[in-house]
Amino acid sequence: MKAKNITGQAPGGKRVRLAEVLPLQTPFMIEIYPMYACNFRCKYCMMSLPSSRRSFVSDKIVMDFDLYKKCIDDITAFPDKLKILRFGGIGEPLLHKNIADMVEYAASKNIAEKIEIITNGSLLTPEMSDALISAGVSRLIVSIQGTTKEKYKEISGINIDFEKFISNLRYFFEHKGKNIQIYIKIADEGLEDKEDKKKFYKLFGDICDLIAVENIVPIQPSINYKKVLKEKDKQVTQFGLPALNVLICPQPFFTLRINTDGKVIPCYAFEFPAFVGDCSKQSVSEIWNGKEFQKFRYKMLNGIKKMGGVCARCKIIKHRIFPEDIITLKDAERLKKFYHFKNE
């Protein structure tokens, strides 16, 4: 197998201890949702549910390209580059007709060290691969749902030409060059047993740079995981690390999410706690340093439980935490001075 197996590791590599570098003038990562739609209906994702039963994300399905360009232009105002600009979210980014143009525009502005896309890979034709490679994508993260077309049907509710799917992934790998990375990961729920895991590595291990088995964990509140998970009480993170009880969510301190309508969320949550800005009315840097975001962070430093509501019942951070991201109560007391508005 040519690929490096990173199961049980942070996919992005070594992390700094977050509390030691706060406050950040520039977020480490910005995630953009170009689409709130998907061509898959994976049973452990809320896109498998009728819209009336999903957690609210946005009323807008497709991000306007002009709004997107404004967001990228805004990001140039930060003093440093982002570590990552990510296209992902609840939906399939490759459904956006301008996705290659989006990558190219971001690359032309030199706003991030890496530009990455999280995708199910089903729309990755050779033509799409050529466009993304030419546009300047840094990393493609492909989520695999099984080692057979039958498993794809069971998990995702779609019929897939499995051989063509693998062929298209191979095309990207063989044409991407040395500066672009492809990371292929499979959901543990998509594997039958140890032999099936070996088959996964055999099928995909020579057509990617990084490979891993990740865990499906109960992070989407609208899904009844007791019905869809084989292992009902997972005490691990998505990446195979021990799940931890987190006192202070670190996400608002290093990242933000821009929804399809331009509204800004302070974390990765599907059932999110608040809007902290609107990119159609404010710049991204103004939102990052603005009153609403700062107030949210200050409140978070008092602890998730005191936040109440969505934050108090959120399971995302428990199942996506990395040890380096832990903010202790001692850290919090030191950091409060940076996030407090003195006039309130």
Side-chain angles (χ1 to χ4, degrees), residues 84-98:
I84 297 174
L85 177 71
R86 174 182 291 165
F87 297 95
I90 298 297
E92 172 49 53
L94 300 192
L95 282 172
H96 199 293
K97 67 178 183 178
N98 298 118

Side-chain angles (χ1 to χ4, degrees), residues 243-261:
L244 303 172
N245 289 318
V246 180
L247 298 177
I248 296 166
C249 180
Q251 292 176 1
F253 299 92
F254 70 85
T255 189
L256 63 83
R257 182 181 99 203
I258 304 174
N259 281 352
T260 48
D261 56 5

Side-chain angles (χ1 to χ4, degrees), residues 41-59:
R41 295 292 180 266
C42 299
K43 63 183 182 180
Y44 39 72
C45 176
M46 71 182 189
M47 295 304 286
S48 65
L49 302 173
S51 58
S52 60
R53 292 175 55 198
R54 300 175 195 161
S55 300
F56 176 79
V57 172
S58 174
D59 290 323

Side-chain angles (χ1 to χ4, degrees), residues 43-44 144-148 150-152 154-156 186-193 196-197 200 213-216 228-230 234:
K43 63 183 182 180
Y44 39 72
I144 303 297
Q145 307 303 329
T147 62
T148 64
E150 290 80 14
K151 195 64 177 181
Y152 262 81
E154 175 192 335
I155 295 286
S156 303
I186 193 168
D188 59 341
E189 296 292 323
L191 295 171
E192 294 291 335
D193 49 32
D196 203 21
K197 184 185 288 189
F200 163 66
V213 177
E214 291 189 357
N215 297 282
I216 297 300
V228 302
L229 295 185
K230 299 171 190 173
K234 291 187 176 181

Side-chain angles (χ1 to χ4, degrees), residues 107-316:
S108 73
K109 297 294 182 176
N110 198 28
I111 59 166
E113 293 175 11
K114 293 181 180 179
I115 300 172
E116 65 182 29
I117 300 174
I118 300 178
T119 174
N120 61 40
S122 63
L123 302 176
L124 192 69
T125 61
E127 293 76 17
M128 176 66 79
S129 289
D130 289 342
L132 293 175
I133 292 166
S134 176
V137 72
S138 306
R139 182 159 79 155
L140 200 68
I141 303 172
V142 184
S143 299
I144 303 297
Q145 307 303 329
T147 62
T148 64
K149 65 179 182 180
E150 290 80 14
K151 195 64 177 181
Y152 262 81
K153 181 67 174 179
E154 175 192 335
I155 295 286
S156 303
I158 56 100
N159 293 308
I160 190 170
D161 185 331
F162 196 69
E163 296 305 318
K164 185 176 181 181
F165 174 64
I166 293 176
S167 176
N168 285 341
L169 291 176
R170 181 178 293 108
Y171 181 93
F172 184 91
F173 179 72
E174 291 177 349
H175 289 79
K176 67 181 180 61
K178 294 182 179 180
N179 295 325
I180 302 174
Q181 196 176 64
I182 178 169
Y183 168 34
I184 292 181
K185 60 192 180 82
I186 193 168
D188 59 341
E189 296 292 323
L191 295 171
E192 294 291 335
D193 49 32
K194 291 182 179 179
E195 290 303 312
D196 203 21
K197 184 185 288 189
K198 290 179 182 177
K199 182 179 179 181
F200 163 66
Y201 289 130
K202 184 176 181 180
L203 285 171
F204 298 99
D206 288 336
I207 56 172
C208 61
D209 302 288
L210 302 173
I211 196 166
V213 177
E214 291 189 357
N215 297 282
I216 297 300
V217 285
I219 59 176
Q220 298 192 33
S222 51
I223 296 294
N224 183 349
Y225 286 96
K226 291 182 179 179
K227 289 185 176 181
V228 302
L229 295 185
K230 299 171 190 173
E231 185 183 338
K232 307 303 180 188
D233 186 28
K234 291 187 176 181
Q235 294 302 312
V236 295
T237 69
Q238 176 182 335
F239 309 104
L241 300 169
L244 303 172
N245 289 318
V246 180
L247 298 177
I248 296 166
C249 180
Q251 292 176 1
F253 299 92
F254 70 85
T255 189
L256 63 83
R257 182 181 99 203
I258 304 174
N259 281 352
T260 48
D261 56 5
K263 300 282 180 59
V264 173
I265 311 303
C267 58
Y268 303 143
F270 307 112
E271 184 185 15
F272 52 83
F275 292 119
V276 291
D278 186 342
C279 293
S280 67
K281 300 174 182 177
Q282 305 160 271
S283 76
V284 177
S285 59
E286 286 172 345
I287 294 168
W288 176 254
N289 294 301
K291 179 178 176 181
E292 292 305 314
F293 215 152
Q294 294 291 72
K295 285 170 59 179
F296 185 88
R297 294 183 185 112
Y298 184 84
K299 190 174 180 181
M300 179 57 74
L301 289 173
N302 289 312
I304 290 174
K305 289 186 178 180
K306 289 187 178 180
M307 293 288 289
V310 170
C311 290
R313 63 177 179 267
C314 179
K315 295 183 179 180
I316 285 184

